[in-house]
Amino acid sequence: MSVALATAWNPRGELNRFLKLLSLFQKGYDGMAFSLPPSAEPRLVKQLNDLPQVAVNVTKDWSHGRYLALSSAAEFAATHIQYADFDRILRWVETRPGEWHQVLKQITEQDCIIIGRSNASYQTHPRALVETEAISNLVVSHLIGQPMDVSAGSKSFSKHACRTILMNSEPGNALGTDAEWPLILKQLGFRVDYIEVDGLDWESADRYQDKAADPNSQKEAAQMYDADPRNWSQRAAVAMQIVQVGLDTVSRDFSSTSKPAPRG
């Protein structure tokens, strides 16, 4: 059993941190598939392409990033795939490598795991995220049938589950995939499991820093984030996108699309 990483990365100064941790990533993953926005610097793209067992896709439309990362990771020989937004997985590996390794072991035991934030992890986030994500998490949890934090941008799939998602979805839903991907699997009879971790604490305070932000820096950055009303408006729109995609997914007729093949 092995795990490949699928990750969408909008670079904000994380490259040097990643290269410092490269050996850890290479030990944890049998391959890494990156999707990058059209604005990605050619130097960064080349540096990633020069790494072994790395696939790089520069998107023409950034809303396709998560889907393209997942489809690219499915080409590796690994039996399971973890999807994670890159700034989140980078902070997790840097700050709590032991917890991350434990989760990698769990990933290989299930078809689908939604990896959510512990209460302590969630409380490092700005209130603008906490309050708005409470709405999307509540609705999607109801649709899935169990309480969970679906909005952390981290989840895992067996190769079988991954291919089922790809056959029953299209690129373009961006953050709505937090609802769409697990709900596709739920609709098609897969079990959706859930775990919570401390390592998914707020990552945005790390931007353009040479190391992960400490708790005081996180708190100061969160207060500044909350002070801007535009951030509240943007996060409310994200929550509504996740909710709408979730509602659309459960209303779809999957009878004419791919069904999970028998497992033998």
Side-chain angles (χ1 to χ4, degrees):
M1 297 287 190
S2 55
V3 182
L5 175 66
T7 185
W9 180 13
N10 188 2
R12 296 182 178 93
E14 298 95 347
L15 180 61
N16 287 337
R17 287 171 58 211
F18 172 55
L19 294 177
K20 291 177 184 177
L21 297 168
L22 181 59
S23 62
L24 281 178
F25 276 88
Q26 291 173 328
K27 290 176 183 176
Y29 298 113
D30 278 16
M32 293 180 280
F34 289 84
S35 64
L36 301 168
S39 59
E41 295 182 1
R43 181 182 68 88
L44 183 148
V45 175
K46 182 179 185 306
Q47 285 183 275
L48 289 179
N49 271 320
D50 287 343
L51 298 176
Q53 284 293 93
V54 167
V56 182
N57 295 280
V58 178
T59 63
K60 294 182 180 179
D61 184 334
W62 185 224
S63 70
H64 295 188
R66 286 184 170 186
Y67 182 96
L68 292 179
L70 190 69
S71 61
S72 181
E75 299 301 315
F76 288 115
T79 60
H80 290 72
I81 295 162
Q82 180 184 3
Y83 176 83
D85 295 337
F86 185 69
D87 47 2
R88 282 202 177 276
I89 191 66
L90 180 62
R91 180 178 178 87
W92 191 2
V93 174
E94 183 175 351
T95 60
R96 293 178 176 85
E99 181 187 61
W100 166 67
H101 270 292
Q102 286 299 115
V103 171
L104 287 179
K105 294 177 183 178
Q106 292 178 262
I107 284 173
T108 61
E109 298 170 356
Q110 307 293 342
D111 272 321
C112 174
I113 302 175
I114 304 303
I115 305 169
R117 291 160 286 192
S118 66
N119 183 63
S121 174
Y122 225 131
Q123 294 310 312
T124 64
H125 292 65
R127 300 308 302 175
L129 274 74
V130 174
E131 301 296 340
T132 56
E133 289 179 357
I135 301 170
S136 52
N137 283 339
L138 181 64
V139 174
V140 179
S141 292
H142 173 73
L143 298 175
I144 291 176
Q146 60 178 307
M148 57 178 62
D149 168 27
V150 301
S151 306
S154 187
K155 49 196 73 72
S156 68
F157 311 105
S158 65
K159 183 70 70 69
H160 177 52
C162 175
R163 287 174 173 161
T164 300
I165 290 170
L166 295 170
M167 292 179 68
N168 288 280
S169 63
E170 296 180 355
N173 274 335
L175 298 178
T177 59
D178 283 338
E180 182 187 30
W181 291 352
L183 284 169
I184 286 173
L185 296 180
K186 180 74 174 181
Q187 295 290 94
L188 289 173
F190 286 85
R191 175 175 167 174
V192 177
D193 288 286
Y194 179 63
I195 59 174
E196 290 183 346
V197 300
D198 293 326
L200 293 176
D201 55 330
W202 193 45
E203 79 291 351
S204 295
D206 302 345
R207 294 176 181 177
Y208 302 104
Q209 304 299 313
D210 58 3
K211 61 181 179 180
D214 60 32
N216 286 335
S217 297
Q218 280 182 316
K219 183 176 181 179
E220 291 175 4
Q223 291 172 342
M224 292 179 61
Y225 188 95
D226 283 337
D228 188 341
R230 293 171 296 182
N231 290 329
W232 288 81
S233 175
Q234 191 265 337
R235 295 309 308 186
V238 168
M240 291 304 100
Q241 179 188 5
I242 294 171
V243 167
Q244 188 59 58
V245 171
L247 294 173
D248 291 345
T249 302
V250 297
S251 68
R252 286 171 52 190
D253 179 8
F254 286 93
S255 61
S256 61
T257 59
S258 169
K259 297 289 185 178
R263 311 223 30 181

